[in-house]
Amino acid sequence: MKEYSGWLFDLYAHPKHGIDLWLVGEDKKPHSFHQSFQVTFYAGGPVHRRRQLWKFLKDKPVRQTPTQRKDLYTGIQDVLEIKTEPCVYEELFREVYKCFPDLLYYDVDIPLLLRYAAEFNVFPLAHFKVEVEQGWNISNVISLDTQWELDPQLPDFRILHLRPDSNPSRNIPKSLLAHFGQFKYCLSLDEPRRLLSRLNSIFQQYNPDVILTSYGDTWLFAYLEELSKETKIPFNPNRDISRSVHKKKEISFHNYGQAHYRGEQVHLFGRWHIDDQNCMTYADYGLMGAIEQARVTGMPVQEMARRSPGAGVASMQNLEAMRRGVLVPYQQQKGEAPKTYEQLVIADRGGVIFEPLLGIFQNVAIIDFVSMYPSVMVEYNISPETVCVDEEDAWTIPELNIKVSSREGLIPATLRPMVNKRVKLRRRLKKMKKSDKAYQSYKASSDGLKWLGVVSNGRLGFANAIFGRINAHEALSFIVRKMILRAKEVAEDHGFTVLHVYVDSLFICRTDATKEEDFQSLLDEIERETKLPIELEAIYSWMAFLSAKQNSNLSVPNRFFGVMPDGEYKIRGLALRREDTPLFISNTQLQILEILKQEKDPSKLTHLLPYVVSIVQESFSALSDGIIPINELLVTQTLSRELNEYKTPSPAARAANQLQAIGRNIRMGQRIQYIYVKTKQGVYAWDLPDPVNPTWIDITKYKVLLFSAVYEVLQPLGVSRNVLKNWIFGKASYLVPPGQLVNRQDLPLFANLKYLHVDI
Amino acid sequence: MGHTLPSTTQLIFEQIAELKPLYTALRRADQLVLDNFFEDILQHRAAIGNAANLLPMEILPFVILLEERKRNNRIHNELFQLLEELEKKLLQLPSLEVSEDAEL
């Protein structure tokens, strides 16, 4: 018997029996093994039906045992345990479900890796040891790692980057850029034989663990497969060359009210493939964040990198349930407990979002609860099975008339270690400099966990979540509202002005509070009062809260910007943060902010207006002169519905129609790029084969967009639309000269009543 | 996700819409005052929402009153400040002394 230690890299069903498992060894080499492993699922329901199922399965390749298992809501249940080989499981279950749709099924829709993780207490990228018998058969697995390790030891991955020289949906790429280790190659696509040979040689010699591509899912691997057929030169990107690549179909879906599109996916065996153009939140945290998410959730890295964090949270819950011996129901959710209309009015609300005070404020601090929703779930034991219970020792939320059990629920148990880990990571990051070696890796891990925390709240109320229940979601939102309002009270008790409240953050200022230590007693008291971790995010030299576009007297919660003493911004809701703003307009807005950030005293910001106005005038002149590169005028928008569902087509839909007319496959959630033009349709799709004629460009439309973006950042300084128009277009200064405006909040009501002024 | 009941903003706009017949029958100057009331209401959506009252219309006058009181206080404070300044400046003026031989 031999022992191997390393990191769990990949795992999938063997074509005949058991599983194939890949380990990246401590010797930095990949090793593959075979292991006997069976998939287990359960069927519950009336005894006679279970008996019929037993008879039905008698002659199939399964092992059946009547047993008892715990259901999360109803306790111990009689069920039929069915074990089978992973390679036949999916087909077998489809057959069973078709013949016995009335039975209740458990532990069905669970990836193989998660089942393995639950059984052997390991997880993707776990540091572990295997004992191997003859024939590379694993006889024992010993975990050397936990998911909650702050400094996990990870292997040095061999990463191969592949990307075409242009976006294949727009231009036919001419070359493929390959980057691995110290080497960078530009492989011409004009010589298919040479290309395939070079790639095969890279795969053989460098033997990458990870292939990071751009457009790998939607173009590259399909293109290479086609070339391989044409040239008859074999090409297989898998490490396990007995397999062909695994493809998953394209999909359009809604997530948190937004339309998304995920193109066809290409998954590999024995190595990972991640296409950065076909992922949801991967861009926010990169490979390290995806690895952290995979370690914590138990989902395969290739899957986790592409999927939404919601899928990760569901996976965590399933893993915890299986480890606790709790059944994971198939396509069922606990129904809503009835409530009165009055209770519904109280319960059916989200987080608290204030309307901020309008204007610019000095020394604004943002304090926010760390992972607030998961922290509340953990601290107040909010879980679908713990709310609306009838237990003597349960605690009550009188406003909602519900009782919450004091026995730890499945969701708090799942989230507790994750919340603790994120709080520790955040506190470590706070003490580090951004230039520190480990900063980026901690940041990626923290951001990966942040997304899991963010969606854990939504999962509780999500109609398709297995471990969700609307009453639990309402109880959670209620407690969160209560806690943030309590924090607001405490801040005001400490003499702070609360400028804004945004779900889990408070924007506060006090004339004498300018340093971190000035906030410590406040943070301590809030933590004591709410039992939730809270942190000072940053102190901003100044922060501007913007008004609504339709009414300058009304504030809006999600449009503000501020500057830290080191010049870093916090920007929300400005044009430059929006996906549909052309680059040229974003750049102009950024240039204005660059000027404004030079002044730390908000009362002197108006002194910078002459510089701002000259920059803006230059931008308008550049637009009129037609010297802006066309790609900087590109507008990108996501299709919010299928094309045939538009009653009044948006500009993006009109551009998408042009693409569909030339045979392109257009689906909801796809990003469409276009230019505003002076034609009847008003737009020209960027991906059309003929380039746009520069004389068609609708300069007036872009001037309107630019003006709005400039006004957006100048309006908190007291600049009105008319004054700005005069400065820019009239080049006039007779109304109010630039640099001589007074900030709006400094204007006393009687500023104009000069007769009350007495000169001595 | 998603809510069964309309949001506070929706409720407020519904209430404002219900006042349309009243609004249209007012003179322009009065309509502008009513517009100010609506702005005051919209600036307190979070608080109105948190009140979770079955009849949001009951809460709206309080919000208008609150904003009116804030304005009154501000005017009061500024007036008081100006009067104080005026008093100080009057005290600094040279006192008027009338000489005996001055001609009236």
Side-chain angles (χ1 to χ4, degrees):
Chain A
M1 186 168 47
K2 276 188 173 181
E3 278 186 0
Y4 289 87
S5 53
W7 291 269
L8 176 57
F9 190 76
D10 198 9
L11 184 154
Y12 45 87
H14 185 275
K16 284 184 183 156
H17 58 91
I19 54 164
D20 285 330
L21 183 148
W22 285 85
L23 169 153
V24 173
E26 282 168 358
D27 55 2
K28 297 185 179 177
K29 287 180 187 159
H31 302 273
S32 81
F33 305 96
H34 178 262
Q35 187 173 1
S36 298
F37 183 77
Q38 288 200 315
V39 170
T40 308
F41 69 101
Y42 302 88
V47 185
H48 71 282
R49 289 293 284 158
R50 271 186 281 139
R51 194 161 173 75
Q52 283 168 351
L53 174 63
W54 184 80
K55 279 184 184 167
F56 175 82
L57 291 170
K58 218 166 59 173
D59 302 325
K60 310 262 181 205
V62 297
R63 221 172 60 205
Q64 306 182 73
T65 323
T67 183
Q68 287 191 323
R69 302 284 288 184
K70 190 183 167 192
D71 179 276
L72 191 65
Y73 305 106
T74 50
I76 300 297
Q77 297 289 308
D78 289 325
V79 288
L80 183 64
E81 182 185 83
I82 304 152
K83 282 180 183 283
T84 186
E85 286 298 328
C87 56
V88 296
Y89 161 69
E90 280 183 22
E91 201 178 318
L92 178 87
F93 178 71
R94 261 200 298 275
E95 203 181 334
V96 167
Y97 191 67
K98 199 174 158 189
C99 299
F100 299 87
D102 54 324
L103 288 178
L104 300 171
Y105 295 98
Y106 302 94
D107 290 14
V108 167
D109 204 6
I110 296 183
L112 192 57
L113 180 52
L114 206 65
R115 292 175 186 276
Y116 188 85
E119 191 161 332
F120 294 101
N121 201 24
V122 289
F123 44 89
L125 267 303
H127 191 210
F128 76 140
K129 190 164 71 179
V130 290
E131 290 170 4
V132 181
E133 291 170 347
Q134 267 191 337
W136 302 103
N137 279 317
I138 293 175
S139 59
N140 194 16
V141 176
I142 302 150
S143 178
L144 306 171
D145 196 2
T146 77
Q147 290 154 285
W148 315 115
E149 182 58 58
L150 283 185
D151 295 296
Q153 225 187 324
L154 289 172
D156 290 329
F157 294 110
R158 302 155 77 85
I159 301 175
L160 168 65
H161 298 264
L162 290 174
R163 67 178 172 85
D165 61 345
S166 65
N167 179 350
S169 63
R170 176 160 168 71
N171 297 318
I172 298 168
K174 290 191 174 65
S175 58
L176 187 66
L177 308 167
H179 173 203
F180 57 96
Q182 304 293 317
F183 304 99
K184 278 183 185 172
Y185 292 107
C186 181
L187 309 171
S188 169
L189 300 183
D190 294 335
E191 300 166 89
R193 288 178 167 279
R194 199 173 144 81
L195 171 74
L196 289 175
S197 309
R198 293 285 294 276
L199 282 175
N200 278 334
S201 118
I202 292 172
F203 277 77
Q204 274 167 20
Q205 285 172 22
Y206 185 61
N207 193 6
D209 301 309
V210 189
I211 305 176
L212 294 181
T213 67
S214 295
Y215 313 105
D217 278 345
T218 48
W219 173 77
L220 179 64
F221 284 110
Y223 176 78
L224 293 172
E225 196 182 322
E226 212 172 290
L227 287 189
S228 170
K229 275 183 200 158
E230 274 172 27
T231 58
K232 295 192 176 125
I233 295 177
F235 174 76
N236 189 344
N238 290 305
R239 200 171 241 160
D240 180 348
I241 50 167
S242 67
R243 302 296 190 110
S244 51
V245 296
H246 175 55
K247 290 181 183 170
K248 290 191 170 187
K249 285 183 184 165
E250 62 172 2
I251 182 174
S252 288
F253 57 99
H254 278 103
N255 183 288
Y256 288 87
Q258 285 191 328
H260 293 272
Y261 169 78
R262 197 181 301 131
E264 187 185 66
Q265 300 171 48
V266 174
H267 290 228
L268 303 179
F269 293 95
R271 89 172 25 118
W272 305 334
H273 166 233
I274 299 168
D275 175 355
D276 59 12
Q277 302 293 315
N278 202 27
C279 298
M280 276 193 75
T281 48
Y282 179 78
D284 291 338
Y285 40 70
L287 183 61
M288 279 312 294
I291 287 174
E292 177 64 26
Q293 284 191 342
R295 281 174 58 91
V296 166
T297 62
M299 269 179 96
V301 174
Q302 295 190 88
E303 191 83 20
M304 193 66 243
R306 290 174 174 88
R307 295 282 297 273
S308 72
V313 169
S315 179
M316 279 173 79
Q317 293 167 359
N318 293 346
L319 184 60
E320 180 65 26
M322 286 194 294
R323 281 180 178 162
R324 287 173 151 216
V326 171
L327 293 165
V328 179
Y330 177 58
Q331 294 183 346
Q332 306 161 38
Q333 199 195 35
K334 184 74 176 166
E336 181 174 357
K339 55 173 96 69
T340 65
Y341 184 71
E342 204 167 352
Q343 284 162 355
L344 180 68
V345 169
I346 298 169
D348 187 35
R349 302 197 176 273
V352 174
I353 299 176
F354 270 25
E355 294 74 34
L357 299 180
L358 275 175
I360 303 186
F361 301 88
Q362 193 164 15
N363 295 328
V364 177
I366 299 181
I367 56 171
D368 63 350
F369 287 100
V370 184
S371 305
M372 188 179 196
Y373 280 88
S375 297
V376 170
M377 285 187 241
V378 169
E379 192 58 47
Y380 295 87
N381 199 28
I382 304 296
S383 191
E385 81 282 18
T386 58
V387 294
C388 302
V389 293
D390 192 16
E391 293 170 8
E392 273 186 19
D393 55 348
W395 64 280
T396 312
I397 305 178
E399 293 90 339
L400 303 182
N401 193 28
I402 59 170
K403 282 184 168 181
V404 181
S405 172
S406 48
R407 275 179 284 278
E408 188 180 45
L410 177 75
I411 306 296
T414 309
L415 296 176
R416 187 184 298 278
M418 188 190 83
V419 170
N420 290 342
K421 184 173 182 178
R422 179 143 195 271
V423 171
K424 282 179 193 162
L425 281 172
R426 283 268 300 236
R427 294 196 167 154
R428 268 196 193 183
L429 279 167
K430 202 120 189 90
K431 287 178 192 159
M432 292 169 86
K433 286 182 188 157
K434 284 182 185 167
S435 53
D436 286 350
K437 206 177 164 188
Y439 184 89
Q440 287 311 326
S441 135
Y442 281 137
K443 178 87 174 64
S445 299
S446 169
D447 288 350
L449 295 180
K450 174 191 165 181
W451 279 101
L452 294 174
V454 166
V455 297
S456 59
N457 153 42
R459 293 298 300 186
L460 265 189
F462 178 43
N464 295 337
I466 289 169
F467 295 114
R469 194 181 190 188
I470 198 70
N471 304 85
H473 185 258
E474 288 169 351
L476 171 66
S477 300
F478 179 81
I479 297 170
V480 165
R481 288 197 298 275
K482 215 168 170 174
M483 292 304 136
I484 194 77
L485 289 176
R486 183 70 203 117
K488 177 203 75 101
E489 295 284 310
V490 176
E492 284 172 336
D493 289 347
H494 280 245
F496 287 94
T497 302
V498 177
L499 302 171
H500 192 19
V501 175
Y502 201 96
V503 187
D504 60 352
S505 314
L506 293 174
F507 295 61
I508 54 174
C509 66
R510 198 178 67 192
T511 333
D512 60 335
T514 55
K515 294 186 294 294
E516 223 173 300
E517 45 271 31
D518 299 331
F519 295 86
Q520 200 50 53
S521 62
L522 169 68
L523 297 177
D524 291 342
E525 193 176 336
I526 293 176
E527 263 196 42
R528 263 199 313 275
E529 290 274 323
T530 61
K531 299 183 206 162
L532 301 172
I534 190 163
E535 269 183 5
L536 172 70
E537 185 196 288
I539 305 168
Y540 294 84
S541 304
W542 51 262
M543 186 162 272
F545 295 97
L546 310 189
S547 63
K549 283 179 180 165
Q550 296 84 356
N551 187 337
S552 59
N553 292 328
L554 288 180
S555 60
V556 281
N558 51 2
R559 290 175 70 221
F560 52 84
F561 60 95
V563 175
M564 278 197 254
D566 63 0
E568 207 174 297
Y569 303 111
K570 178 159 189 111
I571 300 171
R572 294 289 180 274
L574 289 193
L576 73 91
R577 284 281 305 236
R578 293 175 45 168
E579 185 191 54
D580 60 352
T581 305
L583 183 63
F584 163 69
I585 292 172
S586 302
N587 285 345
T588 308
Q589 211 177 44
L590 196 61
Q591 278 177 310
I592 299 173
L593 291 177
E594 286 288 313
I595 295 173
L596 296 181
K597 86 172 184 191
Q598 293 164 16
E599 182 54 66
K600 305 289 176 238
D601 180 355
S603 64
K604 292 178 185 162
L605 278 171
T606 47
H607 299 176
L608 298 168
L609 280 173
Y611 307 105
V612 172
V613 170
S614 77
I615 290 256
V616 173
Q617 281 171 340
E618 276 172 32
S619 295
F620 274 96
S621 305
L623 250 185
S624 304
D625 300 342
I627 55 172
I628 310 294
I630 295 183
N631 62 345
E632 290 193 16
L633 298 175
L634 258 184
V635 181
T636 307
Q637 263 182 346
T638 302
L639 280 183
S640 58
R641 60 195 79 178
E642 297 294 351
L643 268 185
N644 56 8
E645 290 169 7
Y646 279 94
K647 284 179 188 156
T648 315
S650 64
R654 295 201 294 274
N657 270 322
Q658 295 170 357
L659 294 172
Q660 200 175 46
I662 59 159
R664 287 278 299 276
N665 175 27
I666 301 294
R667 296 285 307 271
M668 177 186 86
Q670 279 184 346
R671 288 200 171 115
I672 306 293
Q673 292 189 302
Y674 59 88
I675 299 275
Y676 285 112
V677 289
K678 290 179 282 187
T679 59
K680 197 179 168 191
Q681 286 200 319
V683 292
Y684 189 89
W686 184 241
D687 290 346
L688 285 171
D690 297 325
V692 62
N693 183 339
T695 59
W696 298 348
I697 294 172
D698 188 350
I699 297 293
T700 316
K701 175 80 184 170
Y702 284 100
K703 279 188 177 173
V704 171
L705 293 177
L706 179 60
F707 181 83
S708 299
V710 173
Y711 174 67
E712 197 172 50
V713 278
L714 295 189
Q715 56 128 111
L717 304 186
V719 180
S720 71
R721 278 181 189 274
N722 283 338
V723 167
L724 188 61
K725 272 181 196 164
N726 273 306
W727 287 343
I728 298 170
F729 303 116
K731 299 199 173 170
S733 59
Y734 56 86
L735 269 180
V736 189
Q740 290 187 19
L741 283 171
V742 181
N743 288 346
R744 54 185 302 154
Q745 72 267 26
D746 295 342
L747 273 174
L749 282 173
F750 298 112
N752 297 326
L753 300 182
K754 287 181 183 154
Y755 56 85
L756 276 175
H757 193 80
V758 180
D759 286 321
I760 302 167
Chain B
M1 295 296 287
H3 296 284
T4 310
L5 298 175
S7 69
T8 310
T9 311
Q10 272 172 284
L11 283 176
I12 291 171
F13 279 121
E14 276 169 22
Q15 296 290 344
I16 291 174
E18 276 181 28
L19 292 173
K20 184 111 192 270
L22 167 78
Y23 187 88
T24 44
L26 290 174
R27 289 188 183 82
R28 177 57 56 87
D30 297 340
Q31 285 179 344
L32 291 173
V33 175
L34 213 56
D35 282 344
N36 285 338
F37 287 171
F38 296 155
E39 281 175 3
D40 293 345
I41 292 168
L42 287 166
Q43 272 304 99
H44 289 282
R45 278 167 291 173
I48 294 167
N50 200 54
N53 198 301
L54 288 178
L55 301 167
M57 192 66 187
E58 284 183 349
I59 304 286
L60 307 189
F62 282 102
V63 177
I64 298 168
L65 275 173
L66 185 129
E67 284 297 318
E68 283 303 307
R69 174 57 67 92
K70 271 163 70 181
R71 255 177 233 125
N72 279 345
N73 286 350
R74 200 174 155 198
I75 292 167
H76 180 270
N77 289 343
E78 281 181 20
L79 267 177
F80 192 73
Q81 233 175 331
L82 286 169
L83 282 173
E84 263 188 354
E85 274 176 34
L86 194 65
E87 255 176 29
K88 272 184 206 165
K89 286 171 183 175
L90 282 171
L91 284 174
Q92 286 169 16
L93 285 174
S95 52
L96 295 172
E97 286 175 17
V98 184
S99 61
E100 282 178 6
D101 52 343
E103 284 181 23
L104 292 172

